[in-house]
Amino acid sequence: MTNKFIHFIANWKMFGDINSIKSLNKVIKFSNIYKKKKFSIIYCPPYTLLNLFSRKVKNTRILLGAQNCHHEQKNSAFTGSISAKMIKKLGAKYVIVGHSEVRDAGETDLLVNKKIKTLIDNNLKIILCIGETLSQKKKKQTFKVLKNQISRGLKGIKKKNNILIAYEPIWSIGTGIIPKIFDLDRKIKYLKNFLIKKIKIKNPKVLYGGSVNHKNITYLKKIDILDGFLIGGASHSPKKFIDIIKKTFI
Ligand code: PEP
């Protein structure tokens, strides 16, 4: 993995406040020193921190992302929602869609699809999360679930070059359990093949997410075909997050 371009996405979920700027500063400092390595860091803090973080990451190699957005294009009467346009104006470049925690709260593949269309219209890049539950895995439905999430989420989408696919087995998110290397390698190869042949993405980028930490990264980075990692819990600590990045390249 050490010679290719790697994406590190920090998903802060519903964590972080004004003091989190200290964490960000440490990571900015690190990324300036580590200039020669080929990677991107995409910070996805809660909406409340986007403005502050956006000013801080200007002229650094750190990019900003939002954790979700509303599917409607036009700003309208949607209490509690944020539009793609608002996110764009704050300086974010990416938006996560299809995260299992959002799907759990009612986001369907159809909504994922609408959000992706809105994001493309606003020139935002997409981090599309897909993944199977433990029960689907046990019933050997994983490939079917992943194929459906991709096909439905990307239905009718022509511009597919700005989409990162994050494979996140739901049984792995926040549990400390990660897939076996052989199994994960097989899934990523399958996904890339499907994205090339059926979805017609020339050079698909597939990331892994689910309990990535500074210890298991040494194991996960053996999967050469991966293009990066989506990191939840471990990305809140600048030390652990930096350690993950460093160990990926050692
Ligand atoms: C996530 O937020 O998508 C995630 C993978 O979380 P964690 O790293 O904590 O499992």
Side-chain angles (χ1 to χ4, degrees):
M1 256 192 137
T2 42
N3 278 326
K4 64 196 283 199
F5 192 94
I6 307 289
H7 300 275
F8 296 92
I9 302 173
N11 176 18
W12 274 21
K13 313 191 185 206
M14 202 168 72
F15 292 95
D17 57 28
I18 202 120
N19 293 318
S20 310
I21 205 74
K22 289 183 210 145
S23 291
L24 180 65
N25 281 338
K26 285 185 187 155
V27 178
I28 292 175
K29 210 166 148 195
F30 159 76
S31 70
N32 286 338
I33 303 166
Y34 233 56
K35 248 182 204 141
K36 285 197 182 134
K37 298 288 177 195
K38 293 186 281 180
F39 65 90
S40 77
I41 296 175
I42 306 163
Y43 257 94
C44 303
Y47 293 136
T48 48
L49 291 176
L50 279 177
N51 190 13
L52 181 67
F53 275 36
S54 170
R55 282 183 271 135
K56 266 283 158 196
V57 301
K58 241 180 217 155
N59 304 320
T60 74
R61 61 187 293 190
I62 294 181
L63 300 166
L64 205 59
Q67 294 174 21
N68 197 359
C69 74
H70 197 273
H71 61 275
E72 282 296 337
Q73 176 78 261
K74 266 202 190 157
N75 292 343
S76 189
F78 297 111
T79 304
S81 301
I82 312 277
S83 71
K85 201 173 174 183
M86 290 169 174
I87 290 167
K88 174 85 182 172
K89 277 211 166 161
L90 282 173
K93 299 275 183 273
Y94 285 86
V95 177
I96 298 176
V97 288
H99 193 283
S100 60
E101 286 151 17
V102 184
R103 288 185 194 257
D104 254 3
E107 187 190 51
T108 58
D109 285 324
L110 182 64
L111 278 181
V112 166
N113 183 255
K114 285 186 178 175
K115 287 180 186 185
I116 293 176
K117 286 179 179 159
T118 305
L119 293 170
I120 291 174
D121 286 346
N122 282 280
N123 278 320
L124 281 156
K125 295 184 183 180
I126 291 126
I127 299 158
L128 170 59
C129 298
I130 54 167
E132 80 285 3
T133 62
L134 187 58
S135 123
Q136 288 163 335
K137 174 178 151 67
K138 282 183 180 161
K139 286 185 208 148
K140 304 210 178 310
Q141 293 172 340
T142 301
F143 289 123
K144 189 175 145 218
V145 170
L146 301 181
K147 270 197 317 195
N148 281 343
Q149 287 174 338
I150 294 174
S151 313
R152 293 174 187 160
L154 297 181
K155 193 171 177 200
I157 308 281
K158 291 211 169 60
K159 208 177 154 205
K160 288 178 276 221
N161 50 332
N162 280 331
I163 301 174
L164 299 176
I165 305 286
Y167 170 53
E168 301 204 295
I170 298 170
W171 46 272
S172 181
I173 298 179
T175 58
I177 303 166
I178 57 166
K180 299 254 180 311
I181 200 155
F182 166 76
D183 198 31
L184 185 54
D185 187 55
R186 193 168 70 103
K187 296 238 168 55
I188 305 297
K189 279 183 183 139
Y190 173 89
L191 283 173
K192 286 209 172 179
N193 200 36
F194 178 73
L195 288 161
I196 294 168
K197 298 220 165 100
K198 300 280 180 213
I199 308 291
K200 309 285 177 210
I201 301 182
K202 260 192 203 149
N203 187 13
K205 303 290 174 209
V206 182
L207 286 66
Y208 167 75
S211 294
V212 177
N213 63 35
H214 61 295
K215 290 181 187 146
N216 60 29
I217 190 66
T218 319
Y219 177 77
L220 288 167
K221 75 168 188 185
K222 288 184 186 148
I223 304 169
D224 258 338
I225 195 169
L226 274 175
D227 298 291
F229 303 96
L230 196 160
I231 305 146
S235 69
H236 304 167
S237 147
K239 189 177 174 315
K240 287 182 185 164
F241 190 47
I242 289 170
D243 231 27
I244 290 173
I245 301 174
K246 275 188 182 166
K247 284 185 178 164
T248 306
F249 291 106
I250 289 171

mmCIF file of all heavy atoms in Angstrom, residues 48-84:
data_model
loop_
_atom_site.group_PDB
_atom_site.id
_atom_site.type_symbol
_atom_site.label_atom_id
_atom_site.label_comp_id
_atom_site.label_asym_id
_atom_site.label_seq_id
_atom_site.Cartn_x
_atom_site.Cartn_y
_atom_site.Cartn_z
ATOM 1 N N THR A 48 -21.719 21.603 13.177
ATOM 2 C CA THR A 48 -21.424 22.764 14.042
ATOM 3 C C THR A 48 -19.966 23.205 13.961
ATOM 4 O O THR A 48 -19.639 24.324 14.342
ATOM 5 C CB THR A 48 -21.744 22.416 15.508
ATOM 6 O OG1 THR A 48 -21.144 21.154 15.780
ATOM 7 C CG2 THR A 48 -23.244 22.364 15.761
ATOM 8 N N LEU A 49 -19.091 22.295 13.505
ATOM 9 C CA LEU A 49 -17.665 22.650 13.453
ATOM 10 C C LEU A 49 -17.170 22.915 12.037
ATOM 11 O O LEU A 49 -16.000 23.256 11.845
ATOM 12 C CB LEU A 49 -16.826 21.548 14.103
ATOM 13 C CG LEU A 49 -16.976 21.412 15.622
ATOM 14 C CD1 LEU A 49 -16.170 20.222 16.132
ATOM 15 C CD2 LEU A 49 -16.523 22.677 16.334
ATOM 16 N N LEU A 50 -18.034 22.773 11.060
ATOM 17 C CA LEU A 50 -17.569 22.910 9.672
ATOM 18 C C LEU A 50 -16.969 24.283 9.390
ATOM 19 O O LEU A 50 -15.908 24.401 8.770
ATOM 20 C CB LEU A 50 -18.716 22.632 8.687
ATOM 21 C CG LEU A 50 -19.023 21.167 8.385
ATOM 22 C CD1 LEU A 50 -20.215 21.059 7.459
ATOM 23 C CD2 LEU A 50 -17.826 20.466 7.756
ATOM 24 N N ASN A 51 -17.625 25.305 9.880
ATOM 25 C CA ASN A 51 -17.154 26.657 9.608
ATOM 26 C C ASN A 51 -15.761 26.903 10.214
ATOM 27 O O ASN A 51 -14.833 27.355 9.547
ATOM 28 C CB ASN A 51 -18.183 27.654 10.159
ATOM 29 C CG ASN A 51 -17.898 29.070 9.720
ATOM 30 O OD1 ASN A 51 -17.093 29.301 8.822
ATOM 31 N ND2 ASN A 51 -18.542 30.021 10.364
ATOM 32 N N LEU A 52 -15.642 26.548 11.493
ATOM 33 C CA LEU A 52 -14.375 26.731 12.202
ATOM 34 C C LEU A 52 -13.247 25.914 11.543
ATOM 35 O O LEU A 52 -12.152 26.419 11.263
ATOM 36 C CB LEU A 52 -14.577 26.287 13.656
ATOM 37 C CG LEU A 52 -13.407 26.413 14.609
ATOM 38 C CD1 LEU A 52 -13.090 27.892 14.837
ATOM 39 C CD2 LEU A 52 -13.750 25.759 15.951
ATOM 40 N N PHE A 53 -13.539 24.657 11.273
ATOM 41 C CA PHE A 53 -12.539 23.780 10.665
ATOM 42 C C PHE A 53 -12.174 24.271 9.258
ATOM 43 O O PHE A 53 -11.023 24.194 8.844
ATOM 44 C CB PHE A 53 -13.057 22.340 10.592
ATOM 45 C CG PHE A 53 -12.845 21.537 11.842
ATOM 46 C CD1 PHE A 53 -12.941 22.140 13.088
ATOM 47 C CD2 PHE A 53 -12.542 20.181 11.796
ATOM 48 C CE1 PHE A 53 -12.749 21.398 14.254
ATOM 49 C CE2 PHE A 53 -12.338 19.439 12.947
ATOM 50 C CZ PHE A 53 -12.458 20.040 14.176
ATOM 51 N N SER A 54 -13.164 24.769 8.560
ATOM 52 C CA SER A 54 -12.938 25.204 7.191
ATOM 53 C C SER A 54 -11.910 26.338 7.156
ATOM 54 O O SER A 54 -11.014 26.368 6.305
ATOM 55 C CB SER A 54 -14.279 25.647 6.619
ATOM 56 O OG SER A 54 -14.093 26.283 5.408
ATOM 57 N N ARG A 55 -12.016 27.257 8.115
ATOM 58 C CA ARG A 55 -11.048 28.364 8.141
ATOM 59 C C ARG A 55 -9.660 27.854 8.497
ATOM 60 O O ARG A 55 -8.655 28.314 7.994
ATOM 61 C CB ARG A 55 -11.522 29.438 9.127
ATOM 62 C CG ARG A 55 -12.636 30.288 8.501
ATOM 63 C CD ARG A 55 -13.074 31.397 9.388
ATOM 64 N NE ARG A 55 -14.136 30.959 10.269
ATOM 65 C CZ ARG A 55 -14.196 31.213 11.574
ATOM 66 N NH1 ARG A 55 -13.236 31.882 12.158
ATOM 67 N NH2 ARG A 55 -15.203 30.799 12.295
ATOM 68 N N LYS A 56 -9.607 26.850 9.363
ATOM 69 C CA LYS A 56 -8.314 26.307 9.810
ATOM 70 C C LYS A 56 -7.587 25.517 8.725
ATOM 71 O O LYS A 56 -6.359 25.522 8.656
ATOM 72 C CB LYS A 56 -8.548 25.380 11.012
ATOM 73 C CG LYS A 56 -8.377 26.075 12.333
ATOM 74 C CD LYS A 56 -6.920 26.255 12.650
ATOM 75 C CE LYS A 56 -6.737 27.381 13.635
ATOM 76 N NZ LYS A 56 -5.357 27.858 13.710
ATOM 77 N N VAL A 57 -8.353 24.791 7.905
ATOM 78 C CA VAL A 57 -7.675 23.908 6.938
ATOM 79 C C VAL A 57 -7.300 24.605 5.620
ATOM 80 O O VAL A 57 -6.651 23.994 4.771
ATOM 81 C CB VAL A 57 -8.485 22.615 6.621
ATOM 82 C CG1 VAL A 57 -8.743 21.808 7.879
ATOM 83 C CG2 VAL A 57 -9.785 22.925 5.903
ATOM 84 N N LYS A 58 -7.691 25.865 5.510
ATOM 85 C CA LYS A 58 -7.336 26.605 4.290
ATOM 86 C C LYS A 58 -5.822 26.578 4.099
ATOM 87 O O LYS A 58 -5.072 26.749 5.061
ATOM 88 C CB LYS A 58 -7.810 28.053 4.431
ATOM 89 C CG LYS A 58 -8.810 28.396 3.368
ATOM 90 C CD LYS A 58 -9.314 29.794 3.453
ATOM 91 C CE LYS A 58 -10.780 29.771 3.079
ATOM 92 N NZ LYS A 58 -11.537 30.843 3.626
ATOM 93 N N ASN A 59 -5.372 26.373 2.890
ATOM 94 C CA ASN A 59 -3.942 26.295 2.572
ATOM 95 C C ASN A 59 -3.197 25.166 3.296
ATOM 96 O O ASN A 59 -1.998 25.244 3.516
ATOM 97 C CB ASN A 59 -3.230 27.625 2.853
ATOM 98 C CG ASN A 59 -3.882 28.746 2.103
ATOM 99 O OD1 ASN A 59 -4.279 28.584 0.952
ATOM 100 N ND2 ASN A 59 -4.028 29.895 2.762
ATOM 101 N N THR A 60 -3.906 24.143 3.718
ATOM 102 C CA THR A 60 -3.239 22.945 4.240
ATOM 103 C C THR A 60 -3.631 21.813 3.298
ATOM 104 O O THR A 60 -4.454 22.004 2.404
ATOM 105 C CB THR A 60 -3.717 22.568 5.668
ATOM 106 O OG1 THR A 60 -5.039 22.014 5.572
ATOM 107 C CG2 THR A 60 -3.729 23.764 6.593
ATOM 108 N N ARG A 61 -3.098 20.622 3.531
ATOM 109 C CA ARG A 61 -3.497 19.523 2.647
ATOM 110 C C ARG A 61 -4.688 18.745 3.216
ATOM 111 O O ARG A 61 -5.043 17.680 2.719
ATOM 112 C CB ARG A 61 -2.307 18.610 2.374
ATOM 113 C CG ARG A 61 -1.750 17.967 3.606
ATOM 114 C CD ARG A 61 -0.500 17.223 3.293
ATOM 115 N NE ARG A 61 -0.738 16.072 2.440
ATOM 116 C CZ ARG A 61 0.177 15.156 2.190
ATOM 117 N NH1 ARG A 61 1.398 15.290 2.690
ATOM 118 N NH2 ARG A 61 -0.084 14.139 1.428
ATOM 119 N N ILE A 62 -5.302 19.307 4.248
ATOM 120 C CA ILE A 62 -6.466 18.637 4.831
ATOM 121 C C ILE A 62 -7.748 19.131 4.171
ATOM 122 O O ILE A 62 -7.936 20.330 3.968
ATOM 123 C CB ILE A 62 -6.496 18.851 6.357
ATOM 124 C CG1 ILE A 62 -5.289 18.127 6.939
ATOM 125 C CG2 ILE A 62 -7.806 18.355 6.961
ATOM 126 C CD1 ILE A 62 -5.137 18.178 8.389
ATOM 127 N N LEU A 63 -8.596 18.168 3.824
ATOM 128 C CA LEU A 63 -9.869 18.519 3.181
ATOM 129 C C LEU A 63 -11.007 18.313 4.179
ATOM 130 O O LEU A 63 -10.864 17.577 5.154
ATOM 131 C CB LEU A 63 -10.087 17.634 1.959
ATOM 132 C CG LEU A 63 -9.018 17.752 0.880
ATOM 133 C CD1 LEU A 63 -9.132 16.607 -0.112
ATOM 134 C CD2 LEU A 63 -9.131 19.094 0.169
ATOM 135 N N LEU A 64 -12.111 18.964 3.868
ATOM 136 C CA LEU A 64 -13.227 18.918 4.789
ATOM 137 C C LEU A 64 -14.418 18.192 4.161
ATOM 138 O O LEU A 64 -14.675 18.333 2.961
ATOM 139 C CB LEU A 64 -13.606 20.371 5.098
ATOM 140 C CG LEU A 64 -14.313 20.625 6.409
ATOM 141 C CD1 LEU A 64 -13.457 20.161 7.576
ATOM 142 C CD2 LEU A 64 -14.601 22.115 6.557
ATOM 143 N N GLY A 65 -15.131 17.456 5.001
ATOM 144 C CA GLY A 65 -16.333 16.783 4.515
ATOM 145 C C GLY A 65 -17.453 16.923 5.528
ATOM 146 O O GLY A 65 -17.205 17.167 6.708
ATOM 147 N N ALA A 66 -18.700 16.787 5.051
ATOM 148 C CA ALA A 66 -19.837 16.778 5.972
ATOM 149 C C ALA A 66 -20.311 15.336 6.134
ATOM 150 O O ALA A 66 -20.037 14.490 5.282
ATOM 151 C CB ALA A 66 -20.957 17.656 5.429
ATOM 152 N N GLN A 67 -21.025 15.071 7.218
ATOM 153 C CA GLN A 67 -21.437 13.691 7.506
ATOM 154 C C GLN A 67 -22.756 13.293 6.847
ATOM 155 O O GLN A 67 -23.150 12.122 6.878
ATOM 156 C CB GLN A 67 -21.561 13.490 9.017
ATOM 157 C CG GLN A 67 -20.251 13.605 9.752
ATOM 158 C CD GLN A 67 -20.448 13.549 11.254
ATOM 159 O OE1 GLN A 67 -21.445 13.066 11.750
ATOM 160 N NE2 GLN A 67 -19.480 14.071 11.981
ATOM 161 N N ASN A 68 -23.443 14.284 6.287
ATOM 162 C CA ASN A 68 -24.742 14.014 5.677
ATOM 163 C C ASN A 68 -25.208 15.299 4.998
ATOM 164 O O ASN A 68 -24.535 16.341 5.128
ATOM 165 C CB ASN A 68 -25.738 13.604 6.770
ATOM 166 C CG ASN A 68 -26.986 12.925 6.240
ATOM 167 O OD1 ASN A 68 -27.177 12.743 5.031
ATOM 168 N ND2 ASN A 68 -27.870 12.555 7.140
ATOM 169 N N CYS A 69 -26.313 15.244 4.307
ATOM 170 C CA CYS A 69 -26.944 16.462 3.789
ATOM 171 C C CYS A 69 -28.392 16.126 3.443
ATOM 172 O O CYS A 69 -28.767 14.955 3.426
ATOM 173 C CB CYS A 69 -26.214 16.973 2.549
ATOM 174 S SG CYS A 69 -26.512 15.984 1.082
ATOM 175 N N HIS A 70 -29.182 17.136 3.182
ATOM 176 C CA HIS A 70 -30.565 16.876 2.763
ATOM 177 C C HIS A 70 -30.569 16.519 1.276
ATOM 178 O O HIS A 70 -29.686 16.958 0.541
ATOM 179 C CB HIS A 70 -31.439 18.113 3.026
ATOM 180 C CG HIS A 70 -32.893 17.787 2.998
ATOM 181 N ND1 HIS A 70 -33.638 17.790 1.844
ATOM 182 C CD2 HIS A 70 -33.739 17.408 3.994
ATOM 183 C CE1 HIS A 70 -34.881 17.430 2.123
ATOM 184 N NE2 HIS A 70 -34.976 17.198 3.424
ATOM 185 N N HIS A 71 -31.576 15.745 0.876
ATOM 186 C CA HIS A 71 -31.585 15.310 -0.537
ATOM 187 C C HIS A 71 -32.153 16.361 -1.480
ATOM 188 O O HIS A 71 -31.994 16.249 -2.698
ATOM 189 C CB HIS A 71 -32.362 14.001 -0.683
ATOM 190 C CG HIS A 71 -33.787 14.089 -0.268
ATOM 191 N ND1 HIS A 71 -34.183 13.925 1.045
ATOM 192 C CD2 HIS A 71 -34.911 14.337 -0.982
ATOM 193 C CE1 HIS A 71 -35.494 14.067 1.108
ATOM 194 N NE2 HIS A 71 -35.960 14.321 -0.098
ATOM 195 N N GLU A 72 -32.854 17.353 -0.928
ATOM 196 C CA GLU A 72 -33.436 18.364 -1.814
ATOM 197 C C GLU A 72 -32.374 19.368 -2.244
ATOM 198 O O GLU A 72 -31.548 19.806 -1.442
ATOM 199 C CB GLU A 72 -34.588 19.097 -1.118
ATOM 200 C CG GLU A 72 -35.892 18.312 -1.079
ATOM 201 C CD GLU A 72 -36.497 18.044 -2.450
ATOM 202 O OE1 GLU A 72 -36.201 18.780 -3.400
ATOM 203 O OE2 GLU A 72 -37.264 17.064 -2.559
ATOM 204 N N GLN A 73 -32.466 19.734 -3.479
ATOM 205 C CA GLN A 73 -31.490 20.642 -4.068
ATOM 206 C C GLN A 73 -31.655 22.075 -3.540
ATOM 207 O O GLN A 73 -30.696 22.725 -3.143
ATOM 208 C CB GLN A 73 -31.735 20.595 -5.597
ATOM 209 C CG GLN A 73 -30.920 21.513 -6.424
ATOM 210 C CD GLN A 73 -29.534 20.961 -6.600
ATOM 211 O OE1 GLN A 73 -28.632 21.388 -5.892
ATOM 212 N NE2 GLN A 73 -29.339 20.042 -7.513
ATOM 213 N N LYS A 74 -32.933 22.513 -3.532
ATOM 214 C CA LYS A 74 -33.200 23.912 -3.195
ATOM 215 C C LYS A 74 -33.343 24.095 -1.696
ATOM 216 O O LYS A 74 -34.004 23.275 -1.037
ATOM 217 C CB LYS A 74 -34.534 24.308 -3.838
ATOM 218 C CG LYS A 74 -34.399 24.959 -5.177
ATOM 219 C CD LYS A 74 -35.666 25.741 -5.392
ATOM 220 C CE LYS A 74 -35.860 26.277 -6.755
ATOM 221 N NZ LYS A 74 -37.296 26.510 -6.963
ATOM 222 N N ASN A 75 -32.809 25.186 -1.163
ATOM 223 C CA ASN A 75 -33.046 25.487 0.240
ATOM 224 C C ASN A 75 -34.544 25.707 0.419
ATOM 225 O O ASN A 75 -35.167 26.410 -0.369
ATOM 226 C CB ASN A 75 -32.295 26.763 0.650
ATOM 227 C CG ASN A 75 -30.784 26.529 0.628
ATOM 228 O OD1 ASN A 75 -30.337 25.389 0.615
ATOM 229 N ND2 ASN A 75 -30.028 27.596 0.607
ATOM 230 N N SER A 76 -35.107 25.030 1.400
ATOM 231 C CA SER A 76 -36.558 25.125 1.566
ATOM 232 C C SER A 76 -36.947 24.842 3.021
ATOM 233 O O SER A 76 -36.084 24.829 3.899
ATOM 234 C CB SER A 76 -37.215 24.130 0.602
ATOM 235 O OG SER A 76 -38.609 24.333 0.583
ATOM 236 N N ALA A 77 -38.227 24.585 3.251
ATOM 237 C CA ALA A 77 -38.714 24.405 4.625
ATOM 238 C C ALA A 77 -38.445 22.989 5.128
ATOM 239 O O ALA A 77 -39.326 22.135 5.150
ATOM 240 C CB ALA A 77 -40.207 24.715 4.658
ATOM 241 N N PHE A 78 -37.190 22.721 5.517
ATOM 242 C CA PHE A 78 -36.824 21.412 6.053
ATOM 243 C C PHE A 78 -36.108 21.637 7.379
ATOM 244 O O PHE A 78 -34.864 21.701 7.436
ATOM 245 C CB PHE A 78 -35.927 20.637 5.072
ATOM 246 C CG PHE A 78 -36.608 20.322 3.775
ATOM 247 C CD1 PHE A 78 -36.216 20.926 2.598
ATOM 248 C CD2 PHE A 78 -37.668 19.413 3.734
ATOM 249 C CE1 PHE A 78 -36.847 20.647 1.400
ATOM 250 C CE2 PHE A 78 -38.310 19.120 2.540
ATOM 251 C CZ PHE A 78 -37.908 19.745 1.361
ATOM 252 N N THR A 79 -36.909 21.800 8.423
ATOM 253 C CA THR A 79 -36.360 22.117 9.745
ATOM 254 C C THR A 79 -35.288 21.112 10.156
ATOM 255 O O THR A 79 -35.481 19.905 10.041
ATOM 256 C CB THR A 79 -37.504 22.123 10.784
ATOM 257 O OG1 THR A 79 -38.481 23.052 10.331
ATOM 258 C CG2 THR A 79 -37.006 22.525 12.159
ATOM 259 N N GLY A 80 -34.165 21.628 10.602
ATOM 260 C CA GLY A 80 -33.102 20.767 11.110
ATOM 261 C C GLY A 80 -32.193 20.213 10.032
ATOM 262 O O GLY A 80 -31.297 19.424 10.327
ATOM 263 N N SER A 81 -32.404 20.605 8.784
ATOM 264 C CA SER A 81 -31.592 20.020 7.701
ATOM 265 C C SER A 81 -30.586 21.009 7.128
ATOM 266 O O SER A 81 -30.718 22.213 7.290
ATOM 267 C CB SER A 81 -32.507 19.542 6.575
ATOM 268 O OG SER A 81 -33.397 18.586 7.064
ATOM 269 N N ILE A 82 -29.624 20.459 6.433
ATOM 270 C CA ILE A 82 -28.568 21.259 5.809
ATOM 271 C C ILE A 82 -28.494 20.857 4.341
ATOM 272 O O ILE A 82 -28.447 19.664 4.032
ATOM 273 C CB ILE A 82 -27.186 20.962 6.463
ATOM 274 C CG1 ILE A 82 -27.243 20.998 7.995
ATOM 275 C CG2 ILE A 82 -26.094 21.859 5.924
ATOM 276 C CD1 ILE A 82 -27.139 22.332 8.648
ATOM 277 N N SER A 83 -28.447 21.823 3.457
ATOM 278 C CA SER A 83 -28.401 21.479 2.027
ATOM 279 C C SER A 83 -26.964 21.341 1.529
ATOM 280 O O SER A 83 -26.017 21.845 2.154
ATOM 281 C CB SER A 83 -29.115 22.558 1.211
ATOM 282 O OG SER A 83 -28.352 23.746 1.209
ATOM 283 N N ALA A 84 -26.850 20.694 0.375
ATOM 284 C CA ALA A 84 -25.535 20.529 -0.249
ATOM 285 C C ALA A 84 -24.911 21.902 -0.538
ATOM 286 O O ALA A 84 -23.707 22.103 -0.375
ATOM 287 C CB ALA A 84 -25.690 19.736 -1.533
#
